[in-house]
Amino acid sequence: MKTVIEPFRIKMVEPIKLTDRAERESLIREAHYNPFLLRAEDVIIDLLTDSGTSAMSSEAWGAMMQGDESYAGARSWYRFRDTVKDIFGFEQVIPTHQGRAAEHILFSVMVKPGSVVPNNTHFDTTRANIEFVGGEPLDLVCVEADDLDSDFPFKGNMDITALERLIAENGPEKIPVIMVTVTNNSGGGQPVSMANIRDISRVARAAGIPFYIDACRFAENSHFIRQREPGYENTPTIDIAREMFSYADGCTMSAKKDAFGNIGGFLCTNDAELAHQERNILILTEGFPTYGGLAGRDLEAIAVGLREILDEHYLDYRLHSNAYVVDHLRAAGIPVMAPAGGHAVYLDARRFLPHIEPLQYPGQSLAVALYVEAGIRAVEIGTVMFGADPHTGEEHPARLDLLRLAVPRRVYTQSHMDYVLEAIGLVWENRASIRGMKIVQAPKYLRHFTAHFDWV
Ligand code: F0G
């Protein structure tokens, strides 16, 4: 059969409230033109994030009923820890309530004022957590990532020459950790190849610098390696994941992505002394080391989700359904990042709205237009998110202005995606009438979440 189906049946549903254009125009105005400030029930298709929004399986819900809520040493903790160890392979596992808590703990221990932390592309919370402790986050994504149209299979790769240059210029003392994000969320959800991970590991080990993987979408990345990297076509995806982590010294993970969790995360390392320091902060900010800010039932759900996410039929469907949307957009001549990434579709807002300059936030304008057109919620990944220097407050255009439509796992069907395609097509037809935006008020860190906007 050629048709790729959703490899699950639906046995519980949530109704979607339908709104009309006039209602949406006033709702988005009341939300200060920031989709984060909308009520979720006023959204028809919510593609704001794939984080914490996944549908859990009957098995995961069943496991939740068996959650052991003991404060210390709960059975659910051991189930969680053993699953993480089996897949990720690290000796020390530290549970956290979500990914950014793992980042905060890691950087509090490792990063000092003046430290430089390279990554392919830092996600916004990673970047902010490094800046918060006085470090400088640097993005060293490969040059191939600049060409949004090419079909280069691993646009998430790190530029190894740039990494070597950075180490030579700064000395390893200034670089406490090298990170790579799989898949590269802020760079379009593009995967990182095994060869590149091996190269980063080689460079890091030669310089004596720990190498960490931001593992949020590790299963999608592993499956892309299976589909696209010669030599892996017959390797089970779980073994690809294990090999990937074998090159690293630790990882941060948000279980809200590739573990189907509605909440959760963890931090891993092979360094027992470092883990000791990290657990001290954990107890202060998250909780006891055998639950780390999570209920026993959450630990159970994540343990099930980590196994389910590596199901190859699920991953085939997941990557295929995203490619379905991207291929239709490309065929219609709509500027979109190619090839399809794992968890999201990234419209190229700068080329979609060439009459809006980057400092008037074309990605934000496009987000508002798509909401007004069809009640679809997406997020700007561009100059709003990355354009402000946290030290000087100065504004610069981000490297790209994208609109991300992130697809929650196992939540929407193909007809929902056909609706999204139709809506984008209508906005594309009327694009000349869309204006730029300005920021009316914004906080210093992570401004995109709460900023207020207006039309210029
Ligand atoms: N790293 C990456 C690559 C992420 O995408 C995220 C979250 C985090 C770290 C932080 O994890 O949310 O559990 O604290 N990304 C979500 C998103 C919010 O919409 O892309 P968290």
Side-chain angles (χ1 to χ4, degrees), residues 15 114 178 246 252 290 293 350 408 413 416 443:
I178 295 169
S246 76
T252 56
T290 65
R350 225 174 256 179
T413 63
H416 291 117

Side-chain angles (χ1 to χ4, degrees), residues 139-410:
D139 294 340
L140 302 181
V141 73
C142 63
V143 289
E144 288 87 349
D146 283 334
D147 181 355
L148 300 193
D149 294 326
S150 88
D151 277 314
F152 186 73
F154 291 105
K155 287 184 184 173
N157 280 355
M158 185 176 268
D159 181 339
I160 300 295
T161 313
L163 178 64
E164 288 172 324
R165 198 181 320 119
L166 183 80
I167 298 171
E169 283 169 5
N170 289 273
E173 323 72 60
K174 261 192 94 173
I175 306 171
V177 53
I178 295 169
M179 293 197 77
V180 74
T181 304
V182 301
T183 57
N184 187 21
N185 182 9
S186 309
Q190 299 288 325
V192 181
S193 71
M194 191 73 87
N196 192 251
I197 290 174
R198 227 179 275 127
D199 282 343
I200 301 168
S201 177
R202 179 181 45 77
V203 170
R205 288 198 174 152
I209 302 171
F211 168 38
Y212 274 62
I213 296 179
D214 177 338
C216 293
R217 298 176 182 85
F218 77 97
E220 288 168 9
N221 201 87
S222 301
H223 210 60
F224 274 127
I225 289 175
R226 184 179 155 113
Q227 291 183 344
R228 296 181 183 174
E229 193 160 348
Y232 287 96
E233 41 291 83
N234 297 317
T235 312
T237 304
I238 189 167
D239 290 338
I240 296 176
R242 288 182 178 129
E243 181 182 341
M244 217 164 63
F245 293 116
S246 76
Y247 299 120
D249 300 294
C251 74
T252 56
M253 172 72 187
S254 167
K256 300 172 75 173
K257 284 81 166 175
D258 272 359
F260 293 116
N262 296 134
I263 196 69
F266 49 89
L267 171 61
C268 292
T269 173
N270 286 327
D271 182 334
E273 169 49 32
L274 194 72
H276 177 70
Q277 294 174 43
E278 289 167 349
R279 288 199 180 97
N280 287 340
I281 302 179
L282 185 82
I283 291 176
L284 202 65
T285 57
E286 293 280 293
F288 190 73
T290 65
Y291 73 85
L294 294 170
R297 56 180 171 269
D298 301 323
L299 296 167
E300 292 283 347
I302 294 165
V304 173
L306 282 171
R307 297 255 173 239
E308 284 179 356
I309 203 84
L310 287 160
D311 178 283
E312 295 181 3
H313 298 297
Y314 159 76
L315 285 167
D316 280 342
Y317 138 80
R318 173 76 172 161
L319 302 187
H320 181 85
S321 56
N322 212 32
Y324 171 85
V325 177
V326 169
D327 293 347
H328 275 78
L329 292 171
R330 283 177 98 181
I334 296 172
V336 62
M337 178 178 275
H343 67 296
V345 174
Y346 293 73
L347 294 174
D348 180 356
R350 225 174 256 179
R351 274 193 296 164
F352 200 114
L353 302 171
H355 55 287
I356 301 179
E357 54 164 301
L359 292 180
Q360 292 184 356
Y361 315 125
Q364 194 70 24
S365 297
L366 193 53
V368 172
L370 201 55
Y371 177 73
V372 170
E373 185 66 48
I376 296 164
R377 177 154 74 164
V379 68
E380 193 257 20
I381 298 208
T383 304
V384 174
M385 196 179 271
F386 296 120
D389 183 313
H391 306 297
T392 62
E394 247 175 74
E395 292 252 357
H396 303 283
R399 198 172 65 83
L400 299 168
D401 276 295
L402 303 174
L403 183 69
R404 185 188 75 171
L405 293 83
V407 187
R409 293 167 186 76
R410 302 189 297 207

